[in-house]
């Protein structure tokens, strides 16, 4: 596999180093997160973002709490860190999945010193497994893409949203690595512009052809016959296959169905929430009105206008053609195919 030209997160000398994604594409700056409060802030303010990367970051946040704890306080500080980090963002289930994994380490009967080592090890493992999962997703998903395919994507479900390779863009990367020509259309993804700032940036770094479009152009692009499939990531998938992903995903799925274009979701098993039976039960984050009223530091709306800014929407399972996971490509009915991979080992 081709070496990635950047990294999203790394654990070094008992510190977390992350790429500050708020500054891309103009500045490529790495920042240090030295305490749990900084980790919480980095997730909440989207210094790091994307469901899998949020999970990995939170896991390292717990490891950091363990490393920083004074003697006799490792277990209690770690528990407090887990609870605190759970409040950073509500929708991406990978956050809760990773925190639960870290919490399970506390059940080990060992010295505090060994516990700290185990917690750091677990966080490293979560990071490593994320990249491996994405490469599996990529290989399974690449089978769905034919040479010359034009893929429409939304938000950023790429290497930047993960510990590496990406989910939706991982599928594109794997197809390209296998010799297929793929052209990506990236929705700009208002209001935070993950498509314009991040997807365009990382694909261009990799030399994968990409065309940026305003969100409002997606349906017209489909109508023109210029989209062979849509591939998006997910923040949480319910047990029935309903998919929470970046706001605007639902609109794409509806348009794709109208124009008879396959609509694929690419996500690791850690994005499936077996405790949630359908999309209605998924908590949807609402973010600051400022994200809608400003672009960077430029005001684009009257100061006092009312704003509704949900960060995610839910696409009903019936609009999803297939879910590409690290355990294979799941077909409808999703209640059954999702249940089938629940306890599988890879
Ligand atoms: O608000 P964000 O940028 O964290 O939202 C990210 C998305 O919606 C992604 O599509 C999703 O997390 C999948 S990332 C592999």
């Amino acid at each position: 596999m081709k070496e990635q030209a950047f990294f999203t997160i790394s654990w070094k000398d008992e510190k977390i180093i992350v790429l500050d994604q708020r500054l891309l594409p103009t500045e490529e700056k790495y920042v240090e997160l030295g305490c749990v409060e900084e980790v919480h802030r980095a997730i909440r303010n989207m210094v790091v973002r994307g469901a899998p990367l949020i999970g990995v970051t939170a896991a390292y946040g717990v490891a950091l709490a363990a490393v920083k704890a004074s003697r006799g306080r490792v277990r209690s500080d770690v528990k407090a860190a887990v609870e605190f980090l759970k409040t950073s963002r509500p929708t991406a289930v990978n956050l809760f999945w990773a925190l639960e994994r870290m919490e399970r380490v506390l059940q080990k009967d060992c010295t505090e010193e060994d516990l700290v080592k185990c917690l750091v090890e677990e966080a490293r493992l979560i990071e490593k497994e994320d990249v491996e999962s994405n490469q599996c997703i990529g290989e399974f998903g690449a089978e769905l893409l034919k040479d010359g395919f034009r893929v429409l994507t939304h938000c950023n479900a790429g290497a930047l949203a993960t510990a590496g390779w990406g989910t939706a863009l991982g599928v594109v990367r794997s197809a390209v690595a296998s010799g297929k020509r793929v052209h990506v259309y990236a929705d700009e993804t208002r209001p935070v512009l993950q498509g314009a700032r991040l997807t365009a940036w990382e694909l261009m770094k990799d030399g994968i052809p990409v065309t940026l479009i305003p969100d409002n152009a997606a349906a017209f692009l489909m109508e023109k016959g210029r989209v062979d499939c849509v591939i998006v990531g997910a923040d949480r998938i319910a047990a029935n296959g309903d998919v929470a992903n970046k706001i605007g995903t639902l609109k794409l799925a509806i348009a794709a169905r109208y124009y008879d274009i396959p609509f694929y979701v690419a996500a690791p098993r850690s994005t499936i929430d077996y405790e949630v039976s359908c999309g209605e039960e998924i908590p949807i984050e609402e973010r600051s009105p400022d994200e809608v009223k400003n672009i960077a530091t430029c005001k684009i709306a009257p100061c006092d206008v009312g704003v509704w800014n949900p960060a995610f929407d839910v696409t009903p399972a019936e609009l999803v053609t297939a879910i590409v996971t690290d355990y294979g490509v799941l077909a409808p009915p999703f209640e059954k195919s999702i249940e089938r991979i629940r306890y599988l080992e890879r």
Side-chain angles (χ1 to χ4, degrees), residues 18-24 31 33 38-51 53-54 57 88-90 155-156 160-161 189-195 197-198 235 246-247 285-288 291 309-312:
V18 294
L19 178 59
D20 188 343
Q21 301 197 17
R22 297 168 308 175
L23 306 177
L24 290 172
V31 293
L33 308 177
E38 284 178 8
V39 174
H40 189 283
R41 219 173 301 135
I43 295 174
R44 173 158 286 292
N45 297 340
M46 296 170 72
V47 171
V48 291
R49 30 67 51 199
L53 183 59
I54 290 171
T57 309
S88 54
R89 287 189 80 184
C155 192
N156 173 264
L160 284 168
T189 319
R190 281 279 294 147
V192 181
L193 300 171
Q194 289 93 331
R197 296 187 305 103
L198 309 178
D235 287 84
K246 181 53 55 195
I247 191 75
E285 176 182 14
E286 291 189 19
R287 294 188 62 86
S288 164
E291 286 182 352
N309 184 21
F312 304 97

Side-chain angles (χ1 to χ4, degrees), residues 50-293:
L53 183 59
I54 290 171
V56 175
T57 309
Y60 275 129
V62 175
L64 196 59
V67 164
K68 298 270 174 208
S70 40
R71 263 188 95 188
R73 291 197 52 95
V74 173
R75 282 193 159 75
S76 57
D77 282 11
V78 162
K79 273 192 192 141
V82 165
E83 291 313 311
F84 181 50
L85 289 169
K86 276 184 191 166
T87 64
S88 54
R89 287 189 80 184
T91 305
V93 75
N94 309 61
L95 171 74
F96 306 94
W97 170 86
L99 289 172
E100 274 157 29
R101 246 179 93 161
M102 295 302 285
E103 211 173 4
R104 277 201 293 278
V105 177
L106 290 182
Q107 288 164 10
K108 277 188 199 292
D109 184 19
C110 59
T111 63
E112 275 200 327
E113 211 180 22
D114 285 345
L115 188 63
V116 173
K117 278 191 199 139
C118 290
L119 285 159
V120 172
E121 266 319 295
E122 188 69 2
R124 282 192 190 282
L125 196 61
I126 290 173
E127 179 191 349
K128 182 172 159 278
E129 285 176 7
D130 183 54
V131 181
E132 289 166 1
S133 298
N134 296 333
Q135 287 171 344
C136 289
I137 291 171
E139 274 167 39
F140 287 123
E143 297 291 312
L144 300 168
L145 305 191
K146 295 198 183 110
D147 184 35
F149 251 35
R150 295 149 306 171
V151 174
L152 174 62
T153 193
H154 190 65
C155 192
N156 173 264
L160 284 168
T162 63
W165 202 247
T167 58
L169 297 188
V171 170
V172 170
R173 278 202 173 88
S174 295
V176 169
S178 74
K180 291 174 188 164
R181 287 162 303 159
V182 180
H183 190 105
V184 176
Y185 284 101
D187 273 359
E188 61 176 350
T189 319
R190 281 279 294 147
V192 181
L193 300 171
Q194 289 93 331
R197 296 187 305 103
L198 309 178
T199 296
W201 181 80
E202 70 164 83
L203 289 176
M204 288 180 78
K205 266 207 177 247
D206 267 6
I208 296 174
V210 54
T211 302
L212 179 65
I213 61 165
D215 297 322
N216 294 336
F220 196 43
L221 190 73
M222 292 185 200
E223 192 272 336
K224 292 275 170 220
R226 289 167 64 182
V227 179
D228 297 299
C229 71
V230 178
I231 313 181
V232 295
D235 287 84
R236 196 185 291 225
I237 301 174
N240 71 344
D242 289 350
V243 175
N245 190 49
K246 181 53 55 195
I247 191 75
T249 302
L250 170 61
K251 195 166 75 166
L252 281 191
I254 294 169
R257 174 57 55 90
Y258 185 80
Y259 290 109
D260 204 16
I261 293 165
F263 181 88
Y264 299 123
V265 174
R269 192 172 65 178
S270 51
T271 302
I272 299 172
D273 188 349
Y274 285 96
E275 305 308 315
V276 151
S277 63
C278 66
E280 244 175 80
E281 295 168 25
I282 300 176
I284 299 295
E285 176 182 14
E286 291 189 19
R287 294 188 62 86
S288 164
D290 291 340
E291 286 182 352
V292 183
K293 291 195 286 184

